Structure formats: C-alpha cells, structure tokens
Amino acid sequence: MTLVIHRLLLPAAMVFVVALGEASAGEAEVRTIVVKELAFSSASIELHVGDTVEWVNQDIFVHSATADNGSFDVELAPGAHGRAALKTPGVIAYHCRYHPGMKAELHVSE
Ligand SMILES: [Cu+2]
C-alpha cells in the first residue's frame, strides 16, 4: 500500500517543484526593440535583471545598440538582430555609434 501511495505522490511532488522553480526564476523575458527609420522604437523600457533585450534592425542602414556605460555593444547589420542580457539593475542609457541622434534608455529593476 505504501508503494502505491509513493507512486501517486511522486509525480505530483515533482510537478510542484518544477512550478516553484519557474516562479522563483523571475520569469525572465526577451523584450524586442525595433530599430527603424533611424530610431529605437522604445525610448524607454522597463525590464528586470535576467531579461534579455533583442534589437531588430528593420532599416537599410547599419546601426548599433551601444551602452553609454560599456555594458553592451551590439552591432546591427541591416535586417539583423542582436541581443544583450541584463545582469545589473539601474538605468542604462544607450545610443547608436553611427547616428548620434539615436538614443534610448533601459530601466532595469531587481
Ligand atoms: Cu544608427
């Protein structure tokens, strides 16, 4: 009888642990920012540590997403995408190395 109960409970317990693990991981997200017509689509975006930003270059020009603090420097060929993982909280201002007018910010919280 004990054996039967174990067989029933074990899978249920495993599902519970998996669910807890996902919740405590903070549901890391991939957030897309489109780069188009010489601009970043989001001038300011709210994110969390562990999230990833993906820039999608829909222009016919080369762009970059370059953090002012040096934490990332993503080269974006025409039609290409590039990613940066966010590891520390704070406001990260970034720009395009090729077009000084292209600027935006990431607001990263814990
Ligand atoms: Cu640019």
Side-chain angles (χ1 to χ4, degrees):
M1 187 60 191
T2 312
L3 198 64
V4 172
I5 290 170
H6 272 240
R7 280 193 180 152
L8 288 173
L9 285 181
L10 197 58
M14 287 171 77
V15 167
F16 184 63
V17 169
V18 169
L20 273 181
E22 283 174 0
S24 65
E27 294 170 25
E29 289 182 63
V30 177
R31 302 282 297 274
T32 302
I33 297 175
V34 172
V35 188
K36 197 176 177 183
E37 295 169 358
L38 295 164
F40 297 106
S41 62
S42 303
S44 175
I45 183 171
E46 304 283 333
L47 303 131
H48 294 93
V49 171
D51 288 349
T52 296
V53 181
E54 181 174 72
W55 289 274
V56 178
N57 184 2
Q58 295 184 353
D59 264 340
I60 56 168
F61 313 107
V62 178
H63 294 298
S64 79
T66 305
D68 294 7
N69 69 6
S71 62
F72 57 79
D73 183 13
V74 179
E75 182 86 3
L76 298 161
H81 11 135
R83 291 182 167 197
L86 303 168
K87 292 171 182 154
T88 51
V91 177
I92 305 172
Y94 68 96
H95 61 277
C96 171
R97 273 185 276 111
Y98 305 102
H99 308 103
M102 292 177 63
K103 293 178 182 181
E105 285 180 352
L106 307 175
H107 292 247
V108 187
S109 55
E110 294 274 9

